[in-house]
Amino acid sequence: MRYFKYKGPKSTESIALREEYKAFIKNEKRIIRKCERANGIGCGLSLIVSGVCGGFIIYALTCIPKPEGSAFLTIVHVLGIIILSFVAMVISIVIGVLTAAPIWNWVGKKINSRERILLKACEHLREYYGLQEPCIVTKCYDASDKKFKNHDVCIFVVGDELRITTNLKNGFFREEKDLGCHAFLRDEVTINKIEGEKFLMAELRAGETTFLLGYRAKGFIEKNFLTAENDT
């Protein structure tokens, strides 16, 4: 069982990211309106292109001469037109979506700017604490380390250690939100079900160190850390 906390230099991009974040927050409403307009343009463009392509292809199909004098060939012709019309519709939709894709990609990047900036601001912490999948984010209702009380935490496994740190999946700028990391070996911990007043909770205990967590943490820890399948 050990506790460690990042004490290295701040991210070299921290100042630039803060300024980018402030600029985004300041102009967030304008950016959202701009994205909504662009999204509408993308949808309209997709429909227009799909309609034009579909109309052209179907018109081309109607130009195929009908067979004469054979009921069998007539049936084959009709079925062929129906199948090709369906294929034409699918192709038209795909072409329309591909045409509008650059606009929608731009909208996605703009809308997700807040998350992207915050995640980048915590990249050095994720690397230092070894955050990796599988990982679960859950509530810590109480803990012997009171810094963790009423915080969302990340629980994950690195090698032969179970690690608990603050929620690094959402990202943040403020240094006080870095709570450090508790790491436990398999034979040090027990996980128990706790009957709360309103819902079930999971108690992780290692000696005098305890964490009262959301109940789904129990299944995650048992499956990914405590079972024999994870023994090396």
Side-chain angles (χ1 to χ4, degrees):
M1 179 175 60
R2 65 192 181 104
Y3 172 81
F4 58 105
K5 187 174 182 179
Y6 181 79
K7 296 181 180 179
K10 296 181 182 179
S11 170
T12 55
E13 299 177 311
S14 179
I15 296 177
L17 288 171
R18 282 180 181 273
E19 293 303 317
E20 185 179 356
Y21 187 74
K22 288 178 182 178
F24 175 82
I25 296 301
K26 182 179 179 181
N27 300 293
E28 186 172 15
K29 291 183 179 179
R30 181 179 62 81
I31 291 172
I32 290 175
R33 287 196 299 268
K34 191 175 181 179
C35 287
E36 289 174 345
R37 289 195 295 269
N39 190 55
I41 292 171
C43 291
L45 180 62
S46 177
L47 290 173
I48 291 171
V49 172
S50 296
V52 170
C53 291
F56 177 79
I57 296 174
I58 291 174
Y59 171 75
L61 293 175
T62 61
C63 294
I64 298 175
K66 298 178 181 179
E68 297 180 0
S70 173
F72 175 74
L73 291 177
T74 299
I75 294 173
V76 172
H77 173 80
V78 172
L79 290 175
I81 293 297
I82 293 173
I83 294 172
L84 291 174
S85 296
F86 176 77
V87 173
M89 180 179 67
V90 174
I91 292 174
S92 299
I93 293 173
V94 171
I95 292 174
V97 170
L98 291 176
T99 303
I103 297 175
W104 288 332
N105 288 337
W106 179 86
V107 170
K109 289 179 181 178
K110 283 293 183 181
I111 290 178
N112 294 325
S113 289
R114 180 199 295 265
E115 290 78 8
R116 176 184 59 81
I117 295 169
L118 288 174
L119 283 174
K120 200 167 184 180
C122 285
E123 188 172 355
H124 62 297
L125 294 178
R126 288 195 296 276
E127 291 179 358
Y128 183 74
Y129 294 130
L131 182 64
Q132 60 186 27
E133 296 294 341
C135 170
I136 188 174
V137 176
T138 189
K139 186 79 172 181
C140 178
Y141 298 100
D142 200 358
S144 55
D145 184 344
K146 295 304 178 184
K147 298 191 301 296
F148 283 77
K149 184 177 180 179
N150 292 325
H151 277 274
D152 286 341
V153 295
C154 283
I155 304 175
F156 54 101
V157 178
V158 178
D160 59 353
E161 287 186 331
L162 179 75
R163 296 185 181 182
I164 300 180
T165 186
T166 192
N167 181 9
L168 293 173
K169 282 200 165 186
N170 291 347
F172 51 84
F173 278 112
R174 294 165 56 189
E175 292 182 29
E176 58 268 28
K177 287 193 173 184
D178 175 17
L179 306 177
C181 182
H182 286 271
F184 308 95
L185 297 176
R186 191 173 292 113
D187 59 0
E188 293 175 331
V189 302
T190 58
I191 186 80
N192 300 299
K193 179 173 70 173
I194 300 295
E195 296 278 355
E197 292 183 3
K198 296 182 179 180
F199 43 78
L200 294 174
M201 292 177 283
E203 182 193 56
L204 176 70
R205 179 176 291 275
E208 298 300 317
T209 302
T210 59
F211 288 88
L212 197 58
L213 306 164
Y215 185 66
R216 64 196 190 103
K218 184 176 185 291
F220 176 86
I221 294 170
E222 288 174 340
K223 177 182 177 181
N224 295 282
F225 187 61
L226 295 180
T227 62
E229 292 180 358
N230 291 286
D231 290 334
T232 56

